[in-house]
Amino acid sequence: MENESSYKERKVISIGAVSELTGLSERQIRYYEERKLIFPTRTERGNRKYSFSDVERLIDIANKREEGVRTDEIRMEYRKEKTREDRETRNKMIQGQINARFMTQKNGKRFS
Amino acid sequence: MENESSYKERKVISIGAVSELTGLSERQIRYYEERKLIFPTRTERGNRKYSFSDVERLIDIANKREEGVRTDEIRMEYRKEKTREDRETRNKMIQGQINARFMTQKNGKRFS
DNA sequence: CGTGTAAGGAATTCTGACACG
DNA sequence: CGTGTAAGGAATTCTGACACG
């Protein structure tokens, strides 16, 4: 998960293709970026590149907008999700370190 | 497998991005299409669109070309692979039908 | 606030061709 | 055979702005 080189996360899709995949206008897609809902990378020249993951998020945004949810509300929802995910990732990493120490001790090794 | 809507098979990458991903020139990529090694789809206007699967194949082609393998030889290799895969798919489908009939019989049903 | 549109420029992509080897 | 390049045109994308509501 969260593998940057996975197909789903690789940012290679241009805005025109994203527009076709999502049914959103290029104007809308750029606006959602302005509102901090989506974060494409840029080519050297400045062209936006999106991942399939971005496309899925845009479809989610489109659904929420249809329900009348404002962009700042959508942003807050994503912020909350992100915070929760970060907390879980942090906990896993801490647990990983604890496990590592535990195994080192079982192997009879000492550490400072 | 072979799910047309999977990220890996979805044709959404433009030739410029493919060039960056593979290290091949656009000229080379178009030439390999001319030689029937790769089959991008086209947008309404005529722009080529590639999948991640196509990108992997192009990298494979690049490796073979470096070894001095000619495009027509590479094409033959792919033809052979394709034929073998098609045979396996056909066998699986036939086996599927046999299984379906067998299960129908077990359920005590008759068929013409 | 969210989205459409016209504007002008810069980069992208396309095809067919000539070149070299 | 495989690849580079210059050529000209058509479509793509970008930004900042005006419009409407």
Side-chain angles (χ1 to χ4, degrees), chain B residues 47-71:
Chain B
N47 284 22
R48 277 165 263 247
K49 290 294 177 187
Y50 303 82
S51 65
F52 281 112
S53 189
D54 291 331
V55 169
E56 290 189 354
R57 173 175 284 219
L58 282 166
I59 290 170
D60 187 49
I61 292 168
N63 289 149
K64 285 176 173 154
R65 283 291 304 129
E66 274 187 29
E67 294 168 18
V69 186
R70 278 177 281 108
T71 56

Side-chain angles (χ1 to χ4, degrees), chain B residues 50-92:
Chain B
Y50 303 82
S51 65
F52 281 112
S53 189
D54 291 331
V55 169
E56 290 189 354
R57 173 175 284 219
L58 282 166
I59 290 170
D60 187 49
I61 292 168
N63 289 149
K64 285 176 173 154
R65 283 291 304 129
E66 274 187 29
E67 294 168 18
V69 186
R70 278 177 281 108
T71 56
D72 57 313
E73 293 174 322
I74 299 173
R75 181 173 352 123
M76 287 311 162
E77 291 179 30
Y78 289 148
R79 286 269 157 83
K80 278 180 196 157
E81 285 177 29
K82 185 65 167 41
T83 303
R84 180 176 48 66
E85 281 161 19
D86 285 353
R87 184 174 56 245
E88 284 168 4
T89 300
R90 196 168 55 245
N91 288 344
K92 272 180 194 159

Side-chain angles (χ1 to χ4, degrees), chain B residues 30 33 40-49:
Chain B
R30 293 193 189 102
E33 177 183 359
T41 57
R42 298 283 184 135
T43 62
E44 326 83 73
R45 188 257 165 159
N47 284 22
R48 277 165 263 247
K49 290 294 177 187

Side-chain angles (χ1 to χ4, degrees), chain A residues 41-47 49, chain B residues 16 20:
Chain A
T41 56
R42 299 281 186 136
T43 62
E44 327 85 73
R45 188 257 165 159
N47 284 22
K49 289 295 177 184
Chain B
E20 288 193 359

Side-chain angles (χ1 to χ4, degrees), chain A residues 6-8 10-14 17 20-21 43-44 49 52-53 56, chain B residues 6-8 10-14 17 20-21 43-44 49 52-53 56:
Chain A
S6 70
Y7 302 128
K8 186 169 181 180
R10 212 62 190 284
K11 306 219 181 217
V12 296
I13 316 176
S14 63
E20 287 193 359
L21 289 168
T43 62
E44 327 85 73
K49 289 295 177 184
F52 281 112
S53 189
E56 289 189 355
Chain B
S6 71
Y7 301 128
K8 187 169 180 179
R10 213 60 190 283
K11 305 217 181 219
V12 296
I13 315 176
S14 64
E20 288 193 359
L21 290 168
T43 62
E44 326 83 73
K49 290 294 177 187
F52 281 112
S53 189
E56 290 189 354

Side-chain angles (χ1 to χ4, degrees), chain A residues 1-6 8-9 53 82 85-86 89:
Chain A
M1 271 165 265
E2 209 65 24
N3 177 0
E4 281 304 307
S5 72
S6 70
K8 186 169 181 180
E9 305 301 333
S53 189
K82 184 68 167 43
E85 282 162 18
D86 285 352
T89 301

